[in-house]
Amino acid sequence: MIPIDDSPLCRDGKVLILAFDHGLEHGPVDFAGLPESADPERTFEAATHPAVTSIAVQKGIAEAYYPSYEDDVNLLMKLNGTSNLWMGEPDTAVNCSVDYAAEVGASSVGFTVYGGSNNEIEMVEEFREAQEAAREYGLPTVMWSYPRGQGLKNDTSEETIAYAARLALELGADVAKVKYPGSKTGMEHAVQMAGKTKVVMSGGSKTTDREFLQSVKAVMDAGGKGLAVGRNVWQRENPTALLDSLEKVIFEGASVDAALE
Amino acid sequence: MIPIDDSPLCRDGKVLILAFDHGLEHGPVDFAGLPESADPERTFEAATHPAVTSIAVQKGIAEAYYPSYEDDVNLLMKLNGTSNLWMGEPDTAVNCSVDYAAEVGASSVGFTVYGGSNNEIEMVEEFREAQEAAREYGLPTVMWSYPRGQGLKNDTSEETIAYAARLALELGADVAKVKYPGSKTGMEHAVQMAGKTKVVMSGGSKTTDREFLQSVKAVMDAGGKGLAVGRNVWQRENPTALLDSLEKVIFEGASVDAALE
Amino acid sequence: MIPIDDSPLCRDGKVLILAFDHGLEHGPVDFAGLPESADPERTFEAATHPAVTSIAVQKGIAEAYYPSYEDDVNLLMKLNGTSNLWMGEPDTAVNCSVDYAAEVGASSVGFTVYGGSNNEIEMVEEFREAQEAAREYGLPTVMWSYPRGQGLKNDTSEETIAYAARLALELGADVAKVKYPGSKTGMEHAVQMAGKTKVVMSGGSKTTDREFLQSVKAVMDAGGKGLAVGRNVWQRENPTALLDSLEKVIFEGASVDAALE
Amino acid sequence: MIPIDDSPLCRDGKVLILAFDHGLEHGPVDFAGLPESADPERTFEAATHPAVTSIAVQKGIAEAYYPSYEDDVNLLMKLNGTSNLWMGEPDTAVNCSVDYAAEVGASSVGFTVYGGSNNEIEMVEEFREAQEAAREYGLPTVMWSYPRGQGLKNDTSEETIAYAARLALELGADVAKVKYPGSKTGMEHAVQMAGKTKVVMSGGSKTTDREFLQSVKAVMDAGGKGLAVGRNVWQRENPTALLDSLEKVIFEGASVDAALE
Amino acid sequence: MIPIDDSPLCRDGKVLILAFDHGLEHGPVDFAGLPESADPERTFEAATHPAVTSIAVQKGIAEAYYPSYEDDVNLLMKLNGTSNLWMGEPDTAVNCSVDYAAEVGASSVGFTVYGGSNNEIEMVEEFREAQEAAREYGLPTVMWSYPRGQGLKNDTSEETIAYAARLALELGADVAKVKYPGSKTGMEHAVQMAGKTKVVMSGGSKTTDREFLQSVKAVMDAGGKGLAVGRNVWQRENPTALLDSLEKVIFEGASVDAALE
């Protein structure tokens, strides 16, 4: 962890990442309900919303679409990822070097680590290389910290999420992106374990506005620093509406009711 | 994806790759019906046809035959490939470095990725290195995107082809070479998923002129940007005739009937 | 082994390392009995005690917390480690390069080797790289020498601990951190095997003050050069009290009774 | 393939390699019938015969014996090889770097590839590195192209030998060393597949003069460019006699009868 | 093989290596009968005997003890080795780089290769790197050539030892350290196979003075160039006595009886 409050990834010390790497991780099936959501431009447009502190995409989408938005959007380059076609023990390929991410204009980087996977050792060592390279460019590093694989039965238990948050601190991530552990107290535990590393919630699959905002509110109340959201924004017909509400909850401390008005 | 319309790989934004790496991938059996087709010079001659935007060959053939054709043909160096003697899970060896491809005169590079193979992670990481090296030389990168292996049952389903096209976009290919998914709507889906990455059809085994042109026409009508063709050209007694027809369909928007006249 | 008595890791030729990498190695469960112990600041505060010659932490904690303590605490960067989620044969990931450790301000480095594990060869080769890089910076190297895995049944037998100590000497560690073999004569054997390499005891899980100090006293009497202690300090409500006692036993040659007064 | 007719490996565009790496590949058993044949000097002496265009040996023998013969013999450094003690799937170790081969005075290099082995991918990638390094020194590259291993049942079938020859062309070898497929037409097929890459026959175990010369004659008549011979020369009491005959068949186009006179 | 007679490893073209890496390879058990033998200083003292051309130790012992003896002893750095805790197929870790060996003052290097092990390929490639790096420093290379593992049943048969000696020649070792094959004719065979590479006997476990000297005499009579001895020297109460006798047999051509006087 290094101080990142002055970086483009943060606004008032908080973070709202709009993630759009689902075309790689899940495939076209995620766009099936709303075909136009496959178009990266649509999500880049949404990312111009002032609530969004950065957009998270893979290299190819950054190359192709970021040049048109570099004045209005901050780029978090997701450095690794794997297709859903992969059937082996959880693992992920490094798809982009930090050097190239910097060249394309990234102001932060993201990296997945599957603690407990039989590939944990290798992934953590790849994380080391990425994190240290990012330090040379002064780029904040976000860890997608998702315990998964042989060593795990329940990957959203309170204890697992707390361990995930701690791994991010110990290994040198500036932000830990973890799944919601199901309760405010669970998130408080994770936040405590993460120390100075900021904890943000991973948005997950689409739910109702209220349900989603309630979990975000719980995260903020628990000391979390924000959210990485994907499907709950761009799978909606109107991505902007929910971003308006998220801005109120995350940056203005509003209640869920107030944010939904 | 970076803009490649002004590169030698494109003509009016479209692509016709004449592929001749079958001696490595399939072996001499592909030349059995027409022994003279084994001679690379014959296919280099065919590649001088104005419809062909580039010839795709392996390093050894490029070294030996391209010097005589460098004024008349554009070289796409296929960087990886494997013999058909290989019996393991789908995989491919990197046979040529980007540095050496540039030295031999390549104006673009090609790379196979078998999504879903147990070797996907490694192949995608090798693709990363090749793609980023190609960026330094300003060489467009074509991904042979062929989901195959343990994670797959039907590798030409619409959904698989769409995923293949999306992988090319996400990972930073400028052109996605995918199998024909069997219908125009299937190809439209793939094209939509590929975003700014150009989609071209992989020619496959030899069929009749009409059948082949019909599939090419469907690809173009679906928003595809062209074709990578091999056996359907050089396994014919007269490779030029079909290239004449392909030129009409791909670059002049002709109907299949008009192209066959 | 190179002379390290003049380095920050030593005081009068002896060593007291306060270890705090349990959040990575064991996870949040180690903090369950005393939640505030999860906070690295608390242990950094304890490390300002004059008895502590260095604090041992992972990269992320060093980055985040060491800058506030660099005038009062010496940093031993633990270069590798693994989460307890890992279910495979004993292994450990290299989480920090020596270059980066030096940049963060480390004055010594630590490295785990699991002799007898199926990953011994790889770990020892990683140790080689770390040790030789540390030599370039003049940083002492501490080996966490813990025989474990397929090749071992009883990893705290006298013979195993003696072998562990010898490995540290043979492979070039300046300090060997080994488990307590259960007796003073066992530790004498280990010390003899380690030659010029200093042997320190690994503290292990929390016990009573008296029991713990008795084992430390036995180590010192056996020719050991000190201790690496973690849970027995920071899992206590008052970490300072035991450090006072340890200072007497280790640096002043006091008896256990005198140290407990 | 690059033009190599002007290199020391060729005489009038043809090639006669005297191979002496059997001490590594087969072990002392190959010298059992004629103990003095173990001495590399004896084969270096034979290599001074004008029929021999290069001697092929491993690094250690080149270092020890080539300095005395560098004015009279051309050195082909065999870059990889494996002992017969190896019991795993066909594989081979890279025993010499191209840099070092050049330093020792090699004027060409040799590399084994076992197509169809479970180690094919790795071997082909090692070949790539060697071939591209050899290009920097302008050294011709000879591929020992021996399909073998899991993917193969009959490694001297016509089709397998033809594929072996094609692999050499596709992957960038200047000379393909293949086993004799049993007939002149089989060799013609291989030669056709190899295109501009020269095909030479691998000599194999010792036979009678006539039988051996007949197969060599068939190779030349089929368009082959020569021979790599080992045991059929140095396992004979008088290595020179057969070299005289080989010179007639390979370089002077003589019949077997004339060559035996 | 390169000429090494003028190097510190040789005296009159012969070699007597005093080996002391048993603490790593065998562990403390080798010192059990004579506890003071664990102390490296004792063996360094013995190495000042004029019969000893070099002492062979691992990196850590060289670092710690060689500086006091660099005027009186020549250092052979053993570059790889493995603990006896290892239960896998024979393998060995590279514990020291050639660069660092040179920095510590080594005048030659040693490297183990287990031909026939499932790790042969990897070990031989590591040997290549070490040998070529040693060439840059002009350091002679000694191969501990010990066929062992899956491919072998009897690793001291005449044929195996002969093959071991040949491997050393083929792969570029200057000295082959092999086990005694049980007879003078067996050693003659090995010497013949090794060509210009010097063959020295590996001492093995402790025996009587007479038995040991008889085997050494047989080695010298067979054309061997000396001995690498460990336990037969430093497991004795008086290491010097046997060194006196060895000096007579190896460097003065004395009979066993004369040497024992």
Side-chain angles (χ1 to χ4, degrees):
Chain A
M1 203 284 315
I2 54 170
I4 62 167
D5 283 355
D6 294 337
S7 80
L9 183 60
C10 295
R11 170 181 159 189
D12 301 336
K14 305 200 185 73
V15 173
L16 201 172
I17 296 163
L18 183 53
F20 190 67
D21 59 344
H22 303 68
L24 174 66
E25 296 281 347
H26 301 174
V29 67
D30 267 22
F31 311 127
L34 193 67
E36 63 264 38
S37 68
D39 183 0
E41 286 199 8
R42 186 169 172 274
T43 300
F44 269 92
E45 281 298 328
T48 61
H49 191 289
V52 177
T53 61
S54 286
I55 190 170
V57 293
Q58 291 282 334
K59 173 168 71 175
I61 289 187
E63 280 181 328
Y65 298 90
Y66 187 58
S68 308
Y69 291 90
E70 60 191 0
D71 293 337
D72 303 310
V73 176
N74 299 315
L75 175 64
L76 183 163
M77 185 75 90
K78 183 77 197 308
L79 299 176
N80 62 356
T82 312
S83 85
N84 195 31
L85 301 168
W86 173 258
M87 291 292 135
E89 174 76 0
D91 198 359
T92 176
V94 180
N95 300 319
C96 186
S97 69
V98 171
D99 285 344
Y100 194 68
E103 196 176 319
V104 175
S107 48
S108 63
V109 296
F111 206 97
T112 295
V113 170
Y114 295 133
S117 158
N118 287 341
N119 298 306
E120 173 186 331
I121 303 287
E122 182 188 355
M123 295 181 78
V124 166
E125 296 192 339
E126 290 169 344
F127 175 80
R128 174 197 75 231
E129 290 177 13
Q131 191 257 15
E132 295 187 7
R135 289 288 180 258
E136 290 183 20
Y137 287 98
L139 301 179
T141 303
V142 181
M143 184 189 288
W144 271 235
S145 189
Y146 295 166
R148 191 178 294 180
Q150 176 166 308
L152 285 147
K153 293 208 176 102
N154 180 356
D155 66 0
T156 56
S157 72
E158 275 198 24
E159 202 58 19
T160 298
I161 301 303
Y163 207 152
R166 186 73 182 193
L167 285 181
L169 168 64
E170 298 265 348
L171 299 174
D174 304 306
V175 179
K177 178 172 180 277
V178 300
K179 307 236 171 190
Y180 186 60
S183 69
K184 189 186 150 208
T185 57
M187 188 54 82
E188 281 171 344
H189 189 33
V191 167
Q192 186 181 28
M193 290 303 121
K196 291 190 179 178
T197 292
K198 293 175 195 287
V199 179
V200 302
M201 181 181 88
S202 178
S205 55
K206 193 178 154 192
T207 63
T208 67
D209 285 13
R210 178 168 293 275
E211 273 186 329
F212 188 64
L213 290 171
Q214 281 170 339
S215 62
V216 175
K217 182 66 180 171
V219 167
M220 301 310 291
D221 288 348
K225 297 299 182 188
L227 176 71
V229 62
R231 287 166 285 173
N232 272 291
V233 166
W234 51 255
Q235 280 184 352
R236 280 174 161 78
E237 295 282 346
N238 178 0
T240 306
L242 187 63
L243 288 172
D244 288 342
S245 300
L246 286 170
E247 185 169 25
K248 289 177 190 155
V249 172
I250 294 175
F251 297 102
E252 300 167 12
S255 68
V256 172
D257 284 338
L260 281 170
E261 272 169 20
Chain B
M1 204 282 316
I2 54 170
I4 62 168
D5 282 357
D6 294 338
S7 81
L9 183 61
C10 295
R11 169 180 160 189
D12 303 336
K14 304 199 185 74
V15 173
L16 202 173
I17 297 162
L18 183 53
F20 189 67
D21 59 345
H22 303 67
L24 174 65
E25 296 280 348
H26 301 175
V29 68
D30 267 22
F31 312 127
L34 193 67
E36 64 263 38
S37 68
D39 182 0
E41 287 199 8
R42 187 170 172 274
T43 300
F44 269 91
E45 281 299 327
T48 61
H49 191 289
V52 177
T53 62
S54 287
I55 190 170
V57 292
Q58 291 282 333
K59 172 168 70 175
I61 290 187
E63 279 182 328
Y65 298 89
Y66 187 58
S68 308
Y69 291 91
E70 59 190 1
D71 293 338
D72 302 310
V73 176
N74 299 314
L75 175 64
L76 182 164
M77 185 75 91
K78 183 77 197 307
L79 299 175
N80 61 356
T82 312
S83 84
N84 194 32
L85 300 168
W86 173 258
M87 290 292 136
E89 174 76 0
D91 198 359
T92 176
V94 180
N95 300 319
C96 186
S97 69
V98 171
D99 286 343
Y100 194 68
E103 196 176 318
V104 176
S107 48
S108 63
V109 296
F111 207 96
T112 296
V113 170
Y114 294 133
S117 160
N118 286 341
N119 299 305
E120 174 186 331
I121 303 287
E122 182 187 355
M123 296 182 78
V124 165
E125 295 191 339
E126 290 169 344
F127 176 80
R128 174 196 76 230
E129 290 177 13
Q131 192 257 15
E132 295 187 7
R135 288 288 180 257
E136 290 183 20
Y137 288 98
L139 301 179
T141 303
V142 181
M143 184 189 288
W144 272 234
S145 189
Y146 295 166
R148 190 178 296 181
Q150 177 167 307
L152 285 147
K153 294 208 176 101
N154 180 356
D155 67 359
T156 56
S157 72
E158 274 197 24
E159 201 59 17
T160 297
I161 301 304
Y163 207 151
R166 186 73 183 194
L167 284 181
L169 168 65
E170 298 265 348
L171 298 174
D174 304 306
V175 178
K177 178 172 179 278
V178 300
K179 307 236 171 190
Y180 186 61
S183 69
K184 187 185 151 209
T185 56
M187 188 53 82
E188 280 171 345
H189 189 33
V191 167
Q192 187 182 25
M193 290 303 121
K196 291 189 178 179
T197 292
K198 294 176 194 288
V199 179
V200 303
M201 182 181 89
S202 178
S205 55
K206 192 178 154 192
T207 63
T208 67
D209 285 15
R210 177 169 294 274
E211 272 186 330
F212 188 63
L213 289 171
Q214 280 170 339
S215 63
V216 175
K217 181 66 180 170
V219 167
M220 302 310 291
D221 289 347
K225 297 300 181 188
L227 176 71
V229 62
R231 288 166 285 174
N232 271 292
V233 165
W234 52 255
Q235 280 185 352
R236 280 175 161 80
E237 296 282 347
N238 178 359
T240 306
L242 187 62
L243 287 173
D244 288 341
S245 300
L246 286 169
E247 185 168 27
K248 289 177 190 155
V249 172
I250 294 174
F251 298 101
E252 300 167 12
S255 68
V256 171
D257 283 339
L260 281 169
E261 271 169 22
Chain C
M1 204 284 314
I2 54 171
I4 62 167
D5 282 355
D6 294 337
S7 81
L9 183 59
C10 295
R11 169 181 160 189
D12 302 335
K14 305 200 185 72
V15 174
L16 201 171
I17 296 163
L18 182 53
F20 189 67
D21 60 343
H22 303 68
L24 174 66
E25 296 280 348
H26 301 174
V29 68
D30 267 23
F31 311 126
L34 193 66
E36 63 264 38
S37 67
D39 183 359
E41 285 197 10
R42 187 170 171 273
T43 301
F44 269 92
E45 280 299 328
T48 61
H49 191 290
V52 177
T53 62
S54 286
I55 189 169
V57 292
Q58 291 282 334
K59 173 169 70 175
I61 289 186
E63 280 182 329
Y65 297 90
Y66 187 58
S68 308
Y69 291 90
E70 60 191 0
D71 293 337
D72 303 310
V73 176
N74 299 314
L75 175 65
L76 183 163
M77 185 75 90
K78 183 76 198 309
L79 299 175
N80 61 356
T82 312
S83 85
N84 195 31
L85 300 168
W86 173 257
M87 291 291 136
E89 175 76 0
D91 199 359
T92 176
V94 180
N95 300 318
C96 186
S97 69
V98 172
D99 286 342
Y100 194 68
E103 196 176 319
V104 175
S107 48
S108 62
V109 296
F111 206 97
T112 296
V113 170
Y114 295 133
S117 159
N118 286 341
N119 298 306
E120 174 185 330
I121 303 287
E122 182 188 355
M123 295 181 78
V124 165
E125 296 191 340
E126 291 169 344
F127 175 80
R128 174 196 77 230
E129 290 177 13
Q131 192 256 15
E132 296 188 6
R135 287 288 180 258
E136 291 183 20
Y137 288 98
L139 302 179
T141 303
V142 181
M143 184 189 288
W144 272 234
S145 189
Y146 295 166
R148 190 177 295 181
Q150 176 166 310
L152 284 148
K153 294 209 177 100
N154 180 357
D155 66 0
T156 56
S157 72
E158 275 198 23
E159 201 59 17
T160 297
I161 301 303
Y163 208 152
R166 185 73 182 193
L167 285 181
L169 168 64
E170 298 265 348
L171 298 174
D174 304 304
V175 178
K177 177 173 180 278
V178 301
K179 309 237 171 189
Y180 186 61
S183 71
K184 186 185 152 211
T185 56
M187 187 54 81
E188 281 171 344
H189 189 33
V191 167
Q192 187 181 28
M193 289 304 121
K196 292 189 179 179
T197 292
K198 293 176 196 289
V199 178
V200 302
M201 182 181 88
S202 178
S205 55
K206 193 178 152 191
T207 63
T208 67
D209 285 14
R210 179 167 294 273
E211 272 186 329
F212 188 64
L213 290 171
Q214 280 170 338
S215 63
V216 175
K217 182 66 178 170
V219 167
M220 302 310 291
D221 289 348
K225 298 298 181 189
L227 176 70
V229 62
R231 287 167 284 174
N232 272 291
V233 166
W234 50 255
Q235 280 185 351
R236 280 174 161 78
E237 295 282 347
N238 178 358
T240 307
L242 186 63
L243 288 173
D244 288 341
S245 301
L246 287 170
E247 185 168 27
K248 290 177 191 155
V249 172
I250 295 174
F251 297 102
E252 301 166 12
S255 68
V256 171
D257 284 337
L260 281 169
E261 271 168 22
Chain D
M1 202 284 314
I2 54 171
I4 62 167
D5 282 356
D6 295 337
S7 81
L9 183 60
C10 294
R11 169 180 160 190
D12 303 336
K14 304 201 185 72
V15 173
L16 200 172
I17 297 163
L18 183 53
F20 189 66
D21 59 344
H22 303 69
L24 173 65
E25 295 281 347
H26 301 174
V29 68
D30 267 23
F31 311 127
L34 193 66
E36 64 264 38
S37 68
D39 183 0
E41 287 198 8
R42 187 170 172 273
T43 300
F44 269 91
E45 281 299 328
T48 62
H49 191 290
V52 177
T53 62
S54 288
I55 189 170
V57 292
Q58 291 281 334
K59 173 169 69 174
I61 290 187
E63 280 182 329
Y65 298 90
Y66 187 57
S68 309
Y69 291 90
E70 59 191 1
D71 293 338
D72 303 310
V73 176
N74 299 314
L75 175 64
L76 182 163
M77 185 75 90
K78 183 78 198 307
L79 299 175
N80 60 357
T82 311
S83 85
N84 195 31
L85 300 168
W86 173 257
M87 289 292 135
E89 174 77 0
D91 198 359
T92 176
V94 180
N95 300 319
C96 186
S97 70
V98 171
D99 286 343
Y100 194 68
E103 196 175 319
V104 176
S107 48
S108 63
V109 296
F111 206 97
T112 296
V113 170
Y114 295 133
S117 159
N118 287 340
N119 298 305
E120 175 186 330
I121 303 286
E122 183 188 355
M123 295 182 78
V124 165
E125 296 191 341
E126 291 169 344
F127 175 79
R128 173 197 77 230
E129 290 177 13
Q131 192 256 15
E132 296 187 7
R135 288 289 180 258
E136 290 183 20
Y137 288 97
L139 301 179
T141 303
V142 181
M143 184 189 289
W144 272 234
S145 189
Y146 295 167
R148 190 177 295 181
Q150 176 167 309
L152 285 147
K153 294 209 176 100
N154 180 356
D155 67 358
T156 56
S157 72
E158 274 198 24
E159 200 60 16
T160 296
I161 301 303
Y163 207 151
R166 186 72 182 193
L167 284 181
L169 168 64
E170 298 264 348
L171 298 174
D174 304 306
V175 178
K177 178 172 179 279
V178 300
K179 307 238 171 189
Y180 185 61
S183 70
K184 187 185 151 210
T185 57
M187 187 54 82
E188 281 171 343
H189 188 34
V191 167
Q192 186 182 27
M193 291 302 121
K196 291 188 178 179
T197 292
K198 293 176 195 288
V199 179
V200 303
M201 182 180 88
S202 178
S205 54
K206 193 178 153 192
T207 63
T208 67
D209 285 14
R210 178 168 294 275
E211 272 187 329
F212 188 65
L213 290 171
Q214 281 170 338
S215 63
V216 175
K217 181 67 179 171
V219 167
M220 302 310 291
D221 289 347
K225 297 299 181 188
L227 176 70
V229 63
R231 287 166 284 175
N232 272 291
V233 166
W234 52 255
Q235 280 185 351
R236 280 175 161 80
E237 296 281 349
N238 178 0
T240 307
L242 187 62
L243 287 173
D244 288 342
S245 301
L246 286 169
E247 185 168 27
K248 289 176 191 156
V249 171
I250 293 174
F251 297 101
E252 301 167 12
S255 69
V256 172
D257 284 338
L260 281 170
E261 272 169 21
Chain E
M1 204 283 316
I2 54 172
I4 62 168
D5 282 356
D6 294 336
S7 81
L9 183 60
C10 295
R11 169 180 159 189
D12 302 337
K14 305 200 185 73
V15 173
L16 201 172
I17 296 163
L18 183 52
F20 189 67
D21 59 344
H22 303 68
L24 174 65
E25 296 280 349
H26 301 174
V29 68
D30 267 22
F31 311 127
L34 194 65
E36 64 264 37
S37 68
D39 183 0
E41 286 198 9
R42 187 170 172 274
T43 301
F44 270 91
E45 281 300 328
T48 61
H49 191 291
V52 177
T53 62
S54 287
I55 189 170
V57 293
Q58 291 282 334
K59 173 169 68 175
I61 290 187
E63 280 182 328
Y65 298 90
Y66 187 58
S68 308
Y69 291 91
E70 60 191 1
D71 293 337
D72 303 310
V73 176
N74 299 314
L75 175 64
L76 182 164
M77 185 74 92
K78 183 77 198 306
L79 298 175
N80 61 357
T82 312
S83 84
N84 194 31
L85 301 168
W86 173 257
M87 290 292 136
E89 175 76 0
D91 198 359
T92 177
V94 180
N95 300 318
C96 187
S97 70
V98 171
D99 286 342
Y100 194 68
E103 197 175 318
V104 175
S107 49
S108 63
V109 295
F111 206 97
T112 296
V113 170
Y114 294 133
S117 159
N118 287 340
N119 298 306
E120 175 185 331
I121 303 287
E122 182 187 355
M123 296 182 77
V124 166
E125 296 191 340
E126 291 169 343
F127 175 80
R128 174 197 76 230
E129 291 177 12
Q131 190 256 16
E132 296 187 7
R135 288 289 180 257
E136 291 182 20
Y137 287 97
L139 301 179
T141 302
V142 180
M143 185 189 287
W144 272 234
S145 189
Y146 294 166
R148 190 178 296 180
Q150 177 167 309
L152 284 147
K153 294 208 178 101
N154 181 355
D155 66 359
T156 56
S157 72
E158 275 199 24
E159 200 59 17
T160 297
I161 301 303
Y163 207 151
R166 185 73 182 194
L167 285 181
L169 168 64
E170 298 265 348
L171 299 174
D174 304 305
V175 178
K177 178 172 180 277
V178 300
K179 308 236 171 191
Y180 185 61
S183 70
K184 187 185 150 209
T185 57
M187 188 54 82
E188 282 172 343
H189 189 33
V191 167
Q192 186 181 27
M193 289 304 121
K196 291 188 179 179
T197 292
K198 293 176 195 287
V199 178
V200 302
M201 182 181 89
S202 178
S205 54
K206 194 179 153 191
T207 63
T208 67
D209 286 14
R210 179 168 292 276
E211 272 187 330
F212 188 65
L213 290 171
Q214 281 171 338
S215 63
V216 174
K217 181 67 180 170
V219 166
M220 302 310 292
D221 289 348
K225 297 299 181 189
L227 177 70
V229 63
R231 287 166 285 174
N232 272 291
V233 166
W234 50 255
Q235 280 185 351
R236 280 174 161 80
E237 295 282 347
N238 178 359
T240 307
L242 187 62
L243 288 172
D244 289 341
S245 300
L246 286 170
E247 186 169 25
K248 289 177 191 155
V249 172
I250 294 174
F251 297 101
E252 301 167 12
S255 69
V256 171
D257 284 337
L260 281 170
E261 271 169 22

